[in-house]
Every structure is written in structure tokens, then in C-alpha cells.
């Protein structure tokens, strides 16, 4: 298809498609003359992915390029590549110089395999330090409880990752991490409401009504 | 203590303490003369809470005031008040006009008690719509798996809420929700690494090393 059809079918404005071409996010089409090129279904898929990463996940063009490059590199070492891809997602936390003692103690208490340079270690360190700073440290028993259920969630996530195509696996891991995080956060707030409706004696459902249709 | 000691002991700059007084976030001290007032431990606690809400959680002064007002109102209906307090936290999602069909179907499949006007319903609707838009809809079986483990996490959260002091319960719910969310997000990324180290054949630990100390 021509670039105008590509723009139309993808719903991406023509000027934006041209911008992605110039920036190298979208590979060039097959040239059919000095001024025209043909695009195919792969270009449509790539455009949808670029829009997902920029508009839905909210990555900058530079971070989007990092993720796309990893997808295109068809990596041998999927474990390390997945880590790099997920590191392209916010929050962007610097590894701190003090060796991230809270995070390391926590992960070792959980007994998980981890790479100490993985950005999520610094992310955990910052989150645990923030909890301490407001007078709500996450004590070990609670951490182990969270860890057990979060690991079960991670198993559900990983079960969906394609195994035979490394590029697809990276794409799935980045989108899955970014897309499922807000779903889990919303579910947790809703679960608080359900649990507290039982434990705080609101067995009949909330005052504004309509809640127990599903029971 | 005098206002200067309050500033010193809390670590909050004097000008900021005065700003919080002017804005009504911090209640006035007990006047001891026309130009002086005495402050106590309650003021110190309140200052720490204001800093936690503004600096750590990242709320605006207006949102912080909403939460503080709820804490001070010593609410009768704790269930509704907790909902309002947590609604003061980001993300701020408008209830959408189409009745939030994805979220309602999801919560009803989970069988949870819920208030359809609770902001987390709109938050879930947006998150599920985003998942669909990138071609990764959360199918029901996966949703039920997530729901089971998220509800277990919510039970751990709720177990820590003080029962005999409604103001403390609201304070705990807001801080707990905001503070634990980043901990869980970081843990999930780390759990991905642990699970994939097993499932993708990295039983020996990651290439950059140092990971299996805890095993």
C-alpha cells in the first residue's frame, strides 16, 4: 500500500507517519519509484506498536527507539534483553551508591534470583525508603506475604510470553509490564473495598448501592 | 515548643511551616502572647504527615487538604470515607459516560462488592481499554488469576489498618495505598526476573552475576 493508505488504515496522521520514518522508528517501504514506496502489514503492526509505546505507555521517542531496537535485534540472551527492555519503562531510578541495602535484604529474604544492577532493584530500594520515611516500614512478614502473591502474578504474566520468537517476547514483556501494572493497581484499590466491606461490617454493600449484583 | 523549634525538630523550613499554617494544613498553636504560640507533638506528627503526602506521595496542596480534612472529620462511615480518601490519590480518572462496561464485567466476574462510582472503577476501565488498544486484552481467566492474588494482597493491607481510630485508619489507608503501590510494582518486575530465570532456562542466575546468594 502507499503511505497515504498506511496512514489511513493505521489511523495515524500522515505527517506523524513521515516523522516516524525520518526518526527511523518505522522502517522505510520498498521503493517503487524515485518518489514512491510500498508499505505492508509489518508496517501497520509496527505503527500500532509505536502508538502503543508512545501514547498508551507514554514513552518518549528516544525510549521507544530503545525498545524497538531491542525487538529488532532478535536477541540470543532473552533474559538480559527482557531486563533491558523493561528498564526502558518508567520510573527511571538511578542505582544508588549505598548498595541498595533495603532492596537487597528484601529480595534475599524472598530467595529470588536477581541481577543487582537491574533497575527494579533501585526502584524497590526507593519505594522501601519512602515507606520508612513516612513511618510505615514494610516489615519482613508483610514483605514475604506480598512476595508470594506478586510472584504468582508474575507466573501468570510469564505464561503469556511467546517462547519461539525473541522479538515478540520482548514486545510482549514491555507492553505486558506497562499495560498490566495499571490494571493491577486499580484491582488492588477495588479489592480494598471488597475486603473492607467484609471486615469493616459492610456486608450489605456500599451506601451508594449497586455493588452486590455480582454476588 | 515555639515555631522555630517545631521547624527545627521536623526538618521543615520555617517559611514552609508558616505557609502550611496560612493554608490551614497545620492547625494554629496555642497563643501565649499577641505574637507567640506554642506547638506540641501533634503538630510534629501533622507536619510529618503533610510532608509524606506532598513530597513522598506527590499530592498537591489542595489534594493534601482534602485528605487532612477527611482525617480530621473522624468519620462515622469509614467505608465511604476510605473511598473518598483514596480517591484523592492519582491517577485522577473521570467516570466515563458509557457506564464502564469492561470494568463492571471484570468486577462482577470477580464477585467483589463495589461502589460503581468509586474512582478505581474508572481507573480499571481505562486500564482495560488501554490493554485492548495495544492488542493485549486481559481475558477472563487471566483476570480471575490476578484478582485472586490481588485480593490476598489487599487482605494483608487491610490487616494493618487501625480499627479503633477512624482518623488513623484514613491516614493509614491513604499512605498505605500510595506507599505500597510502588513496592508492589518493583516486586513484580523482580519476580518476572526470578520466574523467567527458571522458565527461560537461567537456573544458574543472570549473566551479570551475584543473583543466587539468597537461594
Amino acid at each position: 500500500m502507499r503511505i497515504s493508505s498506511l496512514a489511513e488504515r493505521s489511523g495515524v496522521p500522515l505527517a506523524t507517519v513521515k516523522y516516524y520514518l525520518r526518526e527511523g522508528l518505522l522502517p522505510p517501504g520498498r521503493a517503487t519509484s524515485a518518489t514512491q514506496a510500498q508499505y505492508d502489514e509489518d508496517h501497520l503492526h509496527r505503527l500500532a506498536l509505536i502508538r502503543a509505546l508512545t501514547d498508551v505507555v507514554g514513552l518518549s521517542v528516544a525510549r521507544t527507539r530503545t525498545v524497538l531496537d531491542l525487538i529488532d535485534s532478535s536477541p540470543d540472551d532473552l533474559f538480559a534483553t527482557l531486563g533491558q527492555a523493561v528498564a526502558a519503562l518508567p520510573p527511571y531510578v538511578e542505582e544508588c551508591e549505598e548498595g541498595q541495602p533495603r532492596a537487597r535484604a528484601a529480595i534475599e529474604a524472598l530467595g529470588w534470583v536477581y541481577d543487582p544492577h537491574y533497575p527494579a532493584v533501585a526502584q524497590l530500594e526507593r519505594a522501601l525508603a519512602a515507606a520508612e520515611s513516612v513511618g510505615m516500614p514494610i516489615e519482613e512478614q508483610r514483605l514475604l506475604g506480598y512476595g508470594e502473591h506478586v510472584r504468582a502474578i508474575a507466573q501468570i504474566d510469564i505464561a503469556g510470553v511467546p517462547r519461539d520468537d525473541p522479538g515478540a517476547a520482548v514486545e510482549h514483556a514491555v507492553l505486558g509490564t506497562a499495560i498490566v501494572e495499571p490494571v493491577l493497581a486499580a484491582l488492588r484499590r477495588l479489592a480494598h473495598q471488597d475486603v473492607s466491606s467484609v471486615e469493616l461490617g459492610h456486608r450489605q454493600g456500599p451506601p451508594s448501592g449497586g455493588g452486590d449484583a455480582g454476588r
Side-chain angles (χ1 to χ4, degrees), chain A residues 74-154:
Chain A
S74 287
D76 282 339
D77 186 345
L78 193 53
F79 180 87
T81 308
L82 290 174
Q84 289 172 56
V86 172
L89 297 175
Y92 308 113
V93 184
E94 294 292 319
E95 201 174 329
C96 64
E97 291 183 11
E98 307 90 64
Q100 310 170 146
R102 297 169 188 84
R104 296 193 66 133
I107 308 166
E108 281 166 26
L110 289 163
W112 292 352
V113 171
Y114 73 109
D115 175 347
H117 304 296
Y118 190 46
V121 180
Q123 187 184 340
L124 180 62
E125 179 70 22
R126 194 173 65 168
L128 292 175
E132 270 179 28
S133 78
V134 303
M136 287 187 134
I138 314 284
E139 66 275 26
E140 181 166 320
Q141 201 195 337
R142 206 158 129 227
L143 175 80
L144 295 178
Y146 286 147
E148 178 192 336
H149 295 290
V150 169
R151 196 178 187 286
I153 287 169

Side-chain angles (χ1 to χ4, degrees), chain A residues 199-210:
Chain A
E199 305 214 351
L200 303 177
H202 266 270
R203 242 322 185 190
Q204 311 310 312
S208 38

